[in-house]
Amino acid sequence: MCGIAGLIGSERPDFADKALAALAHRGPDGRGVWRGANATLVHTRLAIIDLSDAGRQPMVDEPSGVCITFNGEIYNFKELRRDLDRDGVLFHTHTDTEVLLRLYLNKGERMVDSLRGMFAFAIHDPRNQITLLARDPFGIKPLYYTTARSGELAFASEAKVLHQTGLSDSRLNAGAIMRFLETGSVAEPDTLLADVRCLPAGHVLVWKNSAAQTRAYWSITFPSGDEDSRHNAKEITRAALLDSVEHHFISDVPVGLFLSGGVDSTALLALSTALGKRDLETFSIGVDDEGLDESGPAARTAQHFKSRHHELRLDARGMAERFPSFLKQMDQPSIDGFNTYCVAGFARDAGMKVVLSGLGGDEVFGGYPSFDRVPKLLSAARAAHHAPALARAAGRVMERWMPRLPLRRVGGLLQREPTLPNAYRTFRGIFTSRQARSLAAHFAGCAERDVCEPENPTLPTGDARDQVSACELSLYMRNQLLKDSDVMSMAHGLELRVPLVDRVLFEAVSRIPADTRLRAAKQCLLDAVPEIPAWISTQPKRGFLFPYAKWLAGDWGAKINEARKHLRDPHPTWYQCWSVFMLERWLEARR
């Protein structure tokens, strides 16, 4: 896990130094720069595999001059290396980086079809005057780029690096601001900077002749009607889970685990134990709110599986102490991420460099209320649209005058086409579309008519619950949970791995029909991991949350509550104030 950046098409003497400084937190174990003709690649290293100097980057194949800078982990690199060995390819290191380099020399950009892992990398090929950017299928690792300056491609692990190196300007993307205010995260491929893009998950970008072309090499699909998978769901799921967890332990440093009181992280601990991983270090957070505190079940689970458990206690004072440094690490604004920032720092202080997280279980196995409520919401919206003019008129009244925010959001849905992505956005919403558009125009300094709303994703056809899963994976998880996990763990030089967000695992379990895979309370996952204790499997879902509403009600929250001045609603929710506050802090840091 590392930080990467690059500039292709020109030479700027100060680019490398500025990029290294901006990425230093992502790679405390080393730094490197490669310069070629009108090309600069930069790397900051967090050493996980092959800790020797042989693992330094950028890495160059001297005969061809092809150079790579790579962030992430390739979990099947040993298998890929064996295949290349059989073809007579010679290796000089034991790194997954060199496997990527040799694989490119053998297969070109089609190399990405062979990769299992989390990755964002750039390969500069001076022979063919090509630069290749690639990002993993689910978007676990971020990669931002800009082609704003004629003939130049610049890229980096964090969007703010492009701004700090002077390669993007300060113009804002009003549509991206609107989507952030609607959902709490910035939806790729947009960023809040008008001239910076996020390379979409599962895509490659080829830069040649001063032009960029992107293509998708993988997308979320759900094969339908696989009866064998239905009948063998338990066995298929367990085998795929064990395989993924085993691959995610590939490391030359110890691997720990974030342990909450929930099913997903408990499943990872149980599966790790089944694979013979002993004395695993586990980390959890306890908070001063009985309804949200999962530290008790987590500690009991750790004792049950005999892990070496560490617990951080947090209250409003502890949050206030950590919050300023959290804000400094923000890349794109989000309404989440503080919990990851805190537990990541706690694990790093305990000496860890790699941890596993249970992120992804809810999206794949149906752990959210959205799997039930979004299809119902969509059905109601479609029924209302049998009289479309009346539905839109009723929606305008509801959005403006209903006292409760959820009903105002439903009013916004009635004014839109009744599609599942629109129903999903309504369910996950923070502000209504009307409110978000008005606020976006205010912060971007433009007219409301100039706020261009981003397009919804194209969903796979089939079962509505599979479509909800696709929304959770490609919108909420990708744009919020994964981005926050990357930025806030790397703020401490900690690599966060997500075994439940794995291409091979997903391709195995996605064949299981939705009525089996997405049974209530994640029963498919529970069947596959019977070692999960009853005190975990039978408790209601709570999520890894902090008691923000309680903490913000005290003196500490006064500054955040100042965000009310931007809101016309006399009774905004705490998370509406929070989202505006986070946007304001991001805007301040950009200036």
Side-chain angles (χ1 to χ4, degrees):
M1 190 74 69
C2 308
I4 66 172
L7 175 62
I8 310 297
S10 69
E11 296 181 2
R12 293 174 181 252
D14 61 347
F15 169 75
D17 288 341
K18 287 182 176 179
L20 287 170
L23 292 167
H25 57 282
R26 298 184 68 94
D29 296 334
R31 56 192 339 195
V33 178
W34 174 88
R35 290 183 174 89
N38 287 327
T40 303
L41 300 185
V42 170
H43 187 267
T44 59
R45 185 185 185 198
L46 179 64
I48 303 297
I49 293 176
D50 191 342
L51 308 185
S52 72
D53 285 346
R56 290 178 298 176
Q57 294 188 52
M59 185 177 289
V60 185
D61 174 64
E62 295 296 345
S64 66
V66 174
C67 184
I68 183 172
T69 184
F70 162 51
N71 170 32
E73 303 291 350
I74 306 301
Y75 299 125
N76 65 334
F77 83 96
K78 293 181 180 179
E79 297 99 305
L80 294 171
R81 176 170 177 151
R82 283 195 293 268
D83 293 340
L84 291 167
D85 280 336
R86 284 193 291 268
D87 292 337
V89 175
L90 298 178
F91 286 85
H92 305 289
T93 75
H94 298 285
T95 65
D96 51 353
T97 306
E98 188 179 8
V99 170
L100 287 177
L101 188 58
R102 304 298 171 202
L103 200 61
Y104 172 79
L105 292 170
N106 277 260
K107 292 187 175 182
E109 69 173 87
R110 291 292 173 182
M111 64 182 289
V112 293
D113 298 330
S114 307
L115 303 180
R116 178 183 190 177
M118 54 180 188
F119 55 84
F121 61 80
I123 296 177
H124 181 65
D125 184 349
R127 304 168 306 174
N128 302 307
Q129 291 299 300
I130 287 174
T131 300
L132 172 70
L133 306 185
R135 191 165 173 231
D136 65 72
F138 286 101
I140 302 169
K141 294 288 96 189
L143 188 56
Y144 298 93
Y145 71 96
T146 179
T147 58
R149 299 174 189 274
S150 179
E152 287 186 0
L153 168 70
F155 61 87
S157 295
E158 296 180 9
K160 63 185 178 184
V161 175
L162 298 174
H163 185 64
Q164 292 170 357
T165 53
L167 294 170
S168 74
D169 59 34
S170 297
R171 290 177 299 116
L172 297 175
N173 182 335
I177 295 176
M178 177 182 173
R179 184 58 60 87
F180 165 72
L181 291 166
E182 281 189 295
T183 65
S185 61
V186 181
E188 66 176 46
D190 288 326
T191 73
L192 295 197
L193 293 170
D195 59 357
V196 174
R197 304 279 282 175
C198 179
L199 181 64
H203 278 64
V204 296
L205 179 151
V206 176
W207 176 259
K208 186 173 185 177
N209 297 327
S210 297
Q213 290 188 335
T214 61
R215 71 168 180 90
Y217 68 87
W218 192 87
S219 61
I220 295 168
T221 59
F222 295 93
S224 60
D226 191 333
E227 290 302 313
D228 287 341
S229 293
R230 185 196 309 278
H231 295 310
N232 298 297
K234 176 180 176 179
E235 294 76 16
I236 290 170
T237 303
R238 184 171 181 85
L241 288 167
L242 285 168
D243 175 65
S244 181
V245 171
E246 185 170 33
H247 275 83
H248 280 73
F249 268 97
I250 293 174
S251 173
D252 291 331
V253 298
V255 178
L257 171 67
F258 288 165
L259 182 64
S260 71
V263 167
D264 302 324
S265 60
T266 302
L268 293 183
L269 181 55
L271 292 163
S272 301
T273 303
L275 289 167
K277 310 299 180 183
R278 306 299 179 191
D279 297 323
L280 198 65
E281 305 261 6
T282 53
F283 301 85
S284 69
I285 293 181
V287 295
D288 58 344
D289 186 300
E290 185 175 346
L292 294 176
D293 186 16
E294 295 187 315
S295 61
R300 186 179 178 186
T301 298
Q303 184 177 23
H304 176 75
F305 288 105
K306 298 181 173 57
S307 69
R308 288 182 284 170
H309 193 56
H310 309 263
E311 181 183 304
L312 172 67
R313 300 296 305 183
L314 272 185
D315 54 17
R317 179 178 178 182
M319 180 184 184
E321 291 172 350
R322 292 168 173 81
F323 199 65
S325 56
F326 160 72
L327 290 177
K328 290 180 181 178
Q329 295 299 330
M330 179 170 50
D331 187 28
Q332 293 285 282
S334 168
I335 62 166
D336 205 352
F338 185 59
N339 46 7
T340 302
Y341 179 80
C342 293
V343 72
F346 182 50
R348 192 66 168 101
D349 289 344
M352 302 305 301
K353 292 178 76 172
V354 180
V355 292
L356 307 183
S357 164
L359 190 158
D362 289 315
E363 291 80 1
V364 174
F365 294 105
Y368 294 128
S370 58
F371 285 89
D372 177 58
R373 295 180 188 173
V374 170
K376 291 179 179 178
L377 185 60
L378 176 61
S379 179
R382 284 175 173 169
H385 270 265
H386 286 308
L390 182 60
R392 287 191 292 270
R396 286 192 292 270
V397 172
M398 291 177 65
E399 187 176 12
R400 186 174 294 274
W401 300 111
M402 277 292 178
R404 296 182 60 236
L405 177 60
L407 292 176
R408 294 202 298 273
R409 292 204 298 259
V410 170
L413 174 61
L414 292 177
Q415 298 171 70
R416 289 173 162 169
E417 184 181 358
T419 64
L420 192 137
N422 282 337
Y424 176 80
R425 286 169 57 190
T426 298
F427 174 80
R428 282 282 186 193
I430 296 174
F431 289 98
T432 70
S433 57
R434 180 181 62 85
Q435 290 173 316
R437 185 181 298 276
S438 175
L439 285 167
H442 166 73
F443 284 112
C446 66
E448 289 189 29
R449 64 177 179 274
D450 295 328
V451 180
C452 298
E453 189 172 342
E455 295 182 1
N456 281 323
T458 300
L459 297 181
T461 58
D463 191 290
R465 289 164 297 177
D466 279 339
Q467 291 185 321
V468 174
S469 181
C471 283
E472 294 290 7
L473 289 164
S474 62
L475 296 175
Y476 178 54
M477 185 187 80
R478 183 178 299 167
N479 294 322
Q480 184 166 310
L481 300 181
L482 289 177
K483 285 182 181 177
D484 291 342
S485 293
D486 172 81
V487 170
M488 295 308 165
S489 60
M490 290 305 295
H492 301 284
L494 181 77
E495 176 173 293
L496 190 150
R497 299 180 176 182
V498 281
L500 301 181
V501 187
D502 176 77
R503 174 179 177 171
V504 177
L505 167 66
F506 180 81
E507 289 175 348
V509 302
S510 64
R511 303 189 68 85
I512 302 171
D515 60 4
T516 300
R517 189 185 82 257
L518 302 175
R519 281 178 292 161
K522 290 188 281 194
Q523 193 59 50
C524 183
L525 178 59
L526 292 173
D527 288 347
V529 193
E531 302 97 320
I532 295 174
W535 63 82
I536 298 296
S537 63
T538 59
Q539 70 172 344
K541 177 176 174 56
R542 288 185 287 185
F544 184 25
L545 301 173
F546 283 172
Y548 292 115
K550 174 182 175 180
W551 290 349
L552 297 181
D555 294 340
W556 181 85
K559 189 170 183 179
I560 292 173
N561 286 321
E562 288 179 7
R564 291 172 182 265
K565 66 178 181 289
H566 297 293
L567 309 179
R568 297 175 183 175
D569 192 328
H571 303 291
T573 64
W574 72 265
Y575 53 86
Q576 287 179 322
C577 295
W578 179 278
S579 63
V580 172
F581 172 83
M582 295 300 288
L583 176 60
E584 289 183 303
R585 300 292 79 73
W586 181 87
L587 290 169
E588 286 179 1
R590 179 187 58 89
R591 297 188 185 107

